[in-house]
Amino acid sequence: TKTLSSISRTDINSWIAKQLTTHQPATVKRQYNTLRAIINDALHSGLIESSPLVRIDPIRGIQPRQRFLSDEELTILLAKAQEVQDWLPDFILWQLHSGMRKGETQQLAWSDVRRLPDDKVIVQVKRAKGDKFRTVVATETMKSVLSRQWNRRVEGDERVFPVSKMTLRRRWEKARREAGLEEVSVHDLRRTNATHAAVAGIDLRTLAG
């Protein structure tokens, strides 16, 4: 048994290697993510001075998964999210309608939202993957989310969704657990957005853009 402050990178790599002898890579990855969340929480709380999660050996052999939510699953998830936190359904709706990555949404600032004269609203994603700039046209649902989030602003925080990564993680995991969707990730909302867009007839080139 070791204290958190005494765990080293070598300890974690050895633990991962040992777990892989008896568990599937995807299972070990989930276990590692739980450990990472605990360590990061301890670091942010000042319980440890540094994190051992540096240059950790990659967990290989994980098969890529494709998970798309049905309308029924989305309805249940949104209902449970409402019970967990008032802003959580709006975060989920934003992911579904915008197709943005979780990190992009978490960093989205009010200065990135532009209202045009024709009542159109565009969102400028400045921190996209690969440092590329792109623009997302807000749907009517996204506009409604923006209105509600404007009323939930936090003084000194310019983000559209002013919540910490840990708070979002905990609320999200509780909602999906109560909805019976523990295997669903936030990224699956982005996949679901792409799927619905494709079904609606958007050509693949536009979708990729």
Side-chain angles (χ1 to χ4, degrees):
T1 301
K2 286 193 169 187
T3 61
L4 280 177
S5 59
S6 66
I7 295 177
S8 66
R9 176 176 65 88
T10 300
D11 291 328
I12 295 177
N13 282 331
S14 296
W15 172 74
I16 289 174
K18 180 180 178 181
Q19 292 299 96
L20 287 172
T21 63
T22 56
H23 296 79
Q24 293 295 320
T27 300
V28 178
K29 179 66 173 179
R30 288 194 295 270
Q31 293 173 341
Y32 170 73
N33 286 341
T34 300
L35 175 63
R36 181 176 62 182
I38 293 171
I39 290 176
N40 286 339
D41 196 26
L43 183 65
H44 295 154
S45 300
L47 300 177
I48 57 176
E49 295 182 357
S50 61
S51 171
L53 303 175
V54 180
R55 297 190 300 277
I56 298 299
D57 295 339
I59 300 174
R60 304 186 186 281
I62 299 176
Q63 296 298 319
R65 58 190 281 281
Q66 296 293 323
R67 179 67 163 88
F68 311 102
L69 283 79
S70 67
D71 291 344
E72 182 180 359
E73 288 176 326
L74 288 172
T75 299
I76 295 172
L77 179 61
L78 288 168
K80 295 301 181 182
Q82 183 64 50
E83 296 174 4
V84 172
Q85 195 82 48
D86 62 344
W87 52 261
L88 188 55
D90 282 329
F91 177 86
I92 293 172
L93 287 171
W94 186 269
Q95 295 305 106
L96 286 168
H97 282 255
S98 71
M100 291 169 59
R101 297 176 177 85
K102 179 175 67 173
E104 293 169 352
T105 298
Q106 288 180 300
Q107 297 180 62
L108 184 67
W110 286 108
S111 58
D112 299 325
V113 179
R114 295 282 187 271
R115 298 185 180 276
L116 304 181
D118 58 357
D119 197 38
K120 181 181 292 184
V121 176
I122 61 174
V123 178
Q124 297 177 318
V125 184
K126 301 177 181 178
R127 308 168 183 85
K129 189 176 182 180
D131 293 328
K132 295 181 180 180
F133 174 89
R134 77 177 190 278
T135 299
V136 176
V137 179
T139 64
E140 291 302 316
T141 294
M142 290 170 66
K143 292 179 185 178
S144 296
V145 170
L146 288 171
S147 295
R148 289 189 290 272
Q149 287 303 114
W150 181 258
N151 293 327
R152 297 175 181 136
R153 285 171 297 159
V154 175
E155 185 176 356
D157 194 328
E158 294 301 315
R159 293 176 299 161
V160 174
F161 290 91
V163 296
S164 69
K165 292 181 179 180
M166 184 58 67
T167 296
L168 174 60
R169 177 189 178 93
R170 288 173 174 168
R171 301 296 187 274
W172 163 257
E173 290 184 348
K174 182 177 181 181
R176 70 177 183 179
R177 182 174 62 252
E178 295 186 356
L181 299 169
E182 292 187 341
E183 82 286 2
V184 173
S185 69
V186 172
H187 193 71
D188 291 329
L189 300 176
R190 175 177 165 84
R191 290 194 182 97
T192 301
N193 165 276
T195 303
H196 281 275
V199 170
I202 297 179
D203 67 276
L204 295 180
R205 179 173 296 182
T206 300
L207 191 58

